[in-house]
Amino acid sequence: MGKNITISDVARHLGISKSTVSHALSGTRPISEELCRKIHQAVNELGYKPNFAAQVMNTNRTGLIGIIISGLANTHTTELVEAFSAALSKRQMQMILAIAATQIEGVELLQRFSRGMADAVINTLPDLHENVVQNITGSVPCLTYLRHEEAKLEIDFASGTREAFEYLVANGHRRIAIMASRTRCDLSVASDPCLVEYRKMAALHGCDEIVIPMKDGTIAEGVALADKLFATGATAVLAGNDMCALGIMQRSFELGKCLPRDLSIIGHDDAPTAQMSLPRLTSIRLPGEILARHTVEVLLHRVNPALPLPRARTVATKLIVRDSVGKKN
Amino acid sequence: MGKNITISDVARHLGISKSTVSHALSGTRPISEELCRKIHQAVNELGYKPNFAAQVMNTNRTGLIGIIISGLANTHTTELVEAFSAALSKRQMQMILAIAATQIEGVELLQRFSRGMADAVINTLPDLHENVVQNITGSVPCLTYLRHEEAKLEIDFASGTREAFEYLVANGHRRIAIMASRTRCDLSVASDPCLVEYRKMAALHGCDEIVIPMKDGTIAEGVALADKLFATGATAVLAGNDMCALGIMQRSFELGKCLPRDLSIIGHDDAPTAQMSLPRLTSIRLPGEILARHTVEVLLHRVNPALPLPRARTVATKLIVRDSVGKKN
DNA sequence: ATTAACAATCGAACCGGTTCGATGAAAAGC
DNA sequence: GCTTTTCATCGAACCGGTTCGATTGTTAAT
């Protein structure tokens, strides 16, 4: 608990005014070279470190970005978090990572952040409507991940789904199921862009539609939905995400099925886990790293308009072929 | 950018002094019931939120704990992070999660945190020596995860290793390899407590010692070490951690080996991934959730002695049997 | 020589809260 | 009825920086 050295201590030690010390350290105004040297020396000797809170008070910048996630069980999220962190540290900023189990917790977090604890907030909970969020946060810039029109970030979910469907058809599959998710882009299952594309493809190839709605996208849900899936007689499935796909694999294994012979599975997101499963999971890649970086850059531009605003871009999803799809003859 | 409402605005709006408002809101001094009501009403109407920085300045508390990790690739770490977050939010605190790829970055982070940005720091990088850490952080409490004598948290690594070894022997294995890690408890491979116990057990059962040192404990390292492992002719391995075990499984699969027939694998940590692999990984459970919570509680007690100091405890590691060990006849 | 321009530094105000001694009025004690 | 206590509220100081107008000494321009 040794009292911390303040800027006044440094000034007193040298017999000068604290504003001079401040200017020397921040370069706000020119200070004679000699004095500047002395000041830096004194700073080192005394071990002075500018007080965080005092600096925040003046600059209205904490250098902290709040990030709200629902958990880290989905490895696609861990990929995002790492990318957020990397993009932020490039700008000398830190991340306050908050896990909100419920929407209520999410709102609480937003309120806390918006008191000036964070310079901006990224929300990844799809259920927190953006306009609600805006109301709460007031003056603090806040983006909902993949829901911000302003971010000029368009994701072409159709491309990956199309590729995946055609790949399955090429492998002889006709009964292809899809797990549709309301968390993608909008809040109704029906408007899941993957589902929309799936319907087009099913019509095109004259396949039946087999739609299974997915909620959380957890492994446990995948396990549970697997039985529903088997009941449909589908030979292949476009899983809602990779965790769900893993759950399906797990349940298949429990039932003594052999993959990919008895069931072909295509995941979504291409989370790191997709490469680690056996068989390795064929998945539709959603390039989280790019999306996360873009989101951070858009947000930081709003915090500090001196930083560049990244150009609007459309990101395609893309099929990554591994070993979880088999030929149906 | 609408100017934020300050406590002075609230006071002016009611024609009273700001200290009165402060007292009413914090309960520091008694305020007449009627006025108190009016104040709360005004606060709601105007949408006043106490400014974070100003409050920090007075209280010297940010309510933030810095957490330094090397990444989220190891799912045991994600488990820890979730547990840290949960333990902190119970005390209304938040986590600044920082990813340090190098020790230099780790030191930088410590310096930033110790300016008052965080009330305390948890470091999970084993290579940052605790005394170095203490020097940097000065007045900010800082613990290195699983390295803090003061935390009175002892981990019985031997128990799990013993169980695992005996389980392998019971399954007929005689050539049992171990991947020893310097990151466990101390900085030399030789003092890895798992290795120490392994040696005892090997001597006891008259088995050869087959020791393979592990560094990062990544999947990639597991893949690389797998070939070394096969060269030893071992029929079973105690992997350094679960990621490494996964790497070994992956490489085995590539080489057309069948698990667990051709190789028995026991992981360490029992990361969430252990349950997701096929075959599911038998692993030595290191109860990260308990350890993380204990660490947070010890640390919070140091930040605020009014909070209870958890009693010293010894945590045992324990074998969790799944499907990755086979019988050797 | 006088003034203008400039560089280096000082000192006071400010950011938005909290804290604490002072103040005034009402309630209690004698 | 006058003093003492209690209660509610005020106002100023403070936390540790930053900012900006004012002040000095020095050099350049007229």
Side-chain angles (χ1 to χ4, degrees):
Chain A
M1 300 287 155
K3 293 257 327 125
N4 272 331
I5 312 296
T6 72
I7 201 170
S8 304
D9 294 330
V10 176
R12 202 174 310 121
H13 181 254
L14 293 172
I16 61 179
S17 92
K18 56 180 193 163
S19 60
T20 304
V21 178
S22 175
H23 288 134
L25 294 179
S26 63
T28 327
R29 284 195 191 177
I31 298 293
S32 75
E33 201 167 323
E34 192 197 339
L35 186 53
C36 205
R37 206 173 29 69
K38 275 192 201 163
I39 289 174
H40 277 101
Q41 190 188 331
V43 164
N44 285 332
E45 277 176 16
L46 301 177
Y48 164 73
K49 310 171 197 170
N51 179 279
F52 171 72
Q55 248 171 2
V56 172
M57 187 140 231
N58 286 294
T59 59
N60 279 317
R61 292 274 168 76
T62 58
L64 298 170
I65 299 292
I67 297 191
I68 302 178
I69 62 175
S70 65
L72 289 168
N74 186 334
T75 52
H76 180 61
T77 305
T78 72
E79 198 183 0
L80 285 184
V81 169
E82 287 194 334
F84 284 140
S85 174
L88 288 171
S89 76
K90 207 174 292 178
R91 303 289 187 197
Q92 319 271 26
M93 304 193 78
Q94 299 293 316
M95 162 180 82
I96 303 182
L97 186 69
I99 299 177
T102 65
Q103 291 191 48
I104 297 163
E105 278 180 45
V107 170
E108 266 181 36
L109 288 168
L110 282 174
Q111 279 164 342
R112 216 175 294 173
F113 288 154
S114 67
R115 290 181 28 209
M117 179 182 278
D119 297 340
V121 178
I122 298 175
N123 167 43
T124 70
L125 306 183
D127 285 341
L128 242 41
H129 264 298
E130 179 133 23
N131 39 5
V132 173
V133 169
Q134 295 302 340
N135 260 344
I136 299 171
T137 52
S139 59
V140 177
C142 179
L143 288 184
T144 295
Y145 179 66
L146 299 193
R147 286 269 197 304
H148 35 72
E149 306 82 19
E150 88 196 90
K152 299 300 175 216
L153 180 60
E154 200 146 343
I155 301 173
D156 179 6
F157 283 104
S159 55
T161 302
R162 192 180 324 127
E163 262 190 89
F165 199 103
E166 284 179 341
Y167 177 68
L168 289 174
V169 168
N171 275 276
H173 293 275
R174 304 288 305 163
R175 288 198 64 76
I176 300 172
I178 187 170
M179 291 183 173
S181 164
R182 46 194 274 291
T183 65
R184 207 151 17 228
C185 266
D186 210 324
L187 289 175
S188 80
V189 175
S191 59
D192 176 350
C194 294
L195 177 58
V196 171
E197 183 66 18
Y198 165 89
R199 292 200 150 125
K200 277 192 208 161
M201 298 303 290
L204 189 65
H205 290 93
C207 300
D208 289 347
E209 289 183 11
I210 307 174
V211 179
I212 301 175
M214 180 185 90
K215 281 188 314 185
D216 310 329
T218 60
I219 294 187
E221 194 184 8
V223 170
L225 292 183
D227 289 320
K228 265 193 195 168
L229 175 67
F230 296 136
T232 67
T235 64
V237 61
L238 297 171
N241 69 14
D242 291 339
M243 295 302 112
C244 191
L246 249 45
I248 298 170
M249 285 174 66
Q250 208 165 294
R251 181 65 182 147
S252 305
F253 189 78
E254 278 173 28
L255 297 176
K257 295 184 188 286
C258 174
L259 301 182
R261 198 194 56 195
D262 299 336
L263 178 69
S264 289
I265 306 179
I266 294 184
H268 200 288
D269 293 354
D270 192 34
T273 321
Q275 306 171 43
M276 297 158 38
S277 67
L278 294 177
R280 296 177 316 148
L281 184 65
T282 293
S283 184
I284 298 172
R285 172 146 192 80
L286 180 64
E289 199 269 331
I290 294 176
L291 300 177
R293 191 174 44 199
H294 186 96
T295 304
V296 167
E297 283 172 1
V298 167
L299 199 53
L300 289 190
H301 169 78
R302 253 175 71 177
V303 169
N304 176 4
L307 294 174
L309 176 67
R311 71 177 200 292
R313 66 190 293 176
T314 300
V315 175
T317 53
K318 194 180 141 197
L319 185 69
I320 308 290
V321 175
R322 298 202 183 84
D323 316 318
S324 63
V325 170
K327 275 211 157 25
K328 176 81 190 165
N329 39 13
Chain B
M1 299 287 157
K3 292 261 323 127
N4 272 330
I5 313 297
T6 72
I7 200 171
S8 305
D9 294 331
V10 176
R12 201 173 313 122
H13 181 253
L14 294 172
I16 61 181
S17 94
K18 55 180 194 163
S19 60
T20 304
V21 178
S22 177
H23 288 134
L25 294 178
S26 63
T28 327
R29 284 195 191 176
I31 298 294
S32 75
E33 200 168 323
E34 191 197 339
L35 186 53
C36 206
R37 205 175 29 70
K38 274 191 200 163
I39 289 174
H40 277 101
Q41 190 188 330
V43 163
N44 286 333
E45 277 176 14
L46 301 177
Y48 164 74
K49 311 170 194 171
N51 179 279
F52 171 71
Q55 250 172 357
V56 172
M57 189 139 228
N58 286 296
T59 58
N60 278 317
R61 292 273 169 75
T62 58
L64 298 170
I65 299 290
I67 296 191
I68 302 179
I69 62 175
S70 65
L72 289 169
N74 186 334
T75 52
H76 180 60
T77 305
T78 71
E79 200 184 359
L80 285 183
V81 168
E82 287 194 335
F84 284 140
S85 173
L88 287 172
S89 77
K90 207 174 291 176
R91 303 290 186 195
Q92 319 270 25
M93 305 194 77
Q94 298 294 317
M95 164 179 81
I96 303 181
L97 186 69
I99 298 178
T102 65
Q103 291 191 47
I104 297 164
E105 277 180 46
V107 169
E108 267 181 35
L109 288 169
L110 282 173
Q111 280 164 343
R112 216 175 294 174
F113 288 155
S114 67
R115 290 179 30 206
M117 179 181 278
D119 296 341
V121 177
I122 297 176
N123 168 42
T124 70
L125 306 183
D127 285 340
L128 242 40
H129 264 295
E130 180 135 20
N131 39 6
V132 173
V133 169
Q134 295 303 338
N135 259 344
I136 298 172
T137 51
S139 58
V140 177
C142 177
L143 288 184
T144 296
Y145 180 65
L146 299 194
R147 286 268 196 306
H148 34 75
E149 307 81 19
E150 88 196 273
K152 299 300 173 218
L153 179 60
E154 200 147 343
I155 301 173
D156 180 5
F157 282 104
S159 54
T161 302
R162 191 179 325 125
E163 263 191 87
F165 200 103
E166 284 178 339
Y167 177 67
L168 289 173
V169 168
N171 276 275
H173 294 275
R174 304 287 305 162
R175 291 197 61 76
I176 300 172
I178 187 169
M179 291 185 175
S181 163
R182 46 192 274 290
T183 65
R184 210 152 15 229
C185 265
D186 209 324
L187 290 174
S188 80
V189 175
S191 59
D192 176 350
C194 294
L195 177 59
V196 171
E197 183 65 17
Y198 165 88
R199 293 200 150 124
K200 279 193 209 161
M201 297 304 290
L204 188 65
H205 291 92
C207 299
D208 290 345
E209 288 183 9
I210 307 174
V211 179
I212 301 175
M214 180 185 91
K215 284 188 313 185
D216 310 330
T218 60
I219 294 187
E221 194 184 7
V223 169
L225 292 183
D227 289 319
K228 266 194 195 168
L229 175 66
F230 296 135
T232 67
T235 65
V237 61
L238 298 170
N241 68 17
D242 291 340
M243 294 303 111
C244 191
L246 250 45
I248 298 169
M249 286 174 63
Q250 209 165 295
R251 180 68 182 146
S252 304
F253 189 78
E254 277 172 29
L255 297 175
K257 294 183 188 286
C258 175
L259 300 183
R261 198 194 56 195
D262 299 336
L263 178 70
S264 289
I265 306 179
I266 294 184
H268 198 290
D269 294 354
D270 192 34
T273 321
Q275 306 172 44
M276 295 160 37
S277 67
L278 295 176
R280 295 177 318 147
L281 184 65
T282 293
S283 185
I284 299 173
R285 174 149 190 79
L286 179 65
E289 200 269 330
I290 294 175
L291 300 177
R293 193 174 42 201
H294 187 95
T295 303
V296 166
E297 282 172 2
V298 167
L299 200 53
L300 289 190
H301 170 79
R302 255 176 69 178
V303 169
N304 176 7
L307 295 174
L309 176 66
R311 71 177 202 290
R313 66 190 294 177
T314 300
V315 175
T317 53
K318 192 180 141 198
L319 185 70
I320 307 292
V321 175
R322 298 203 182 85
D323 317 317
S324 63
V325 169
K327 274 212 158 26
K328 176 80 191 169
N329 39 14

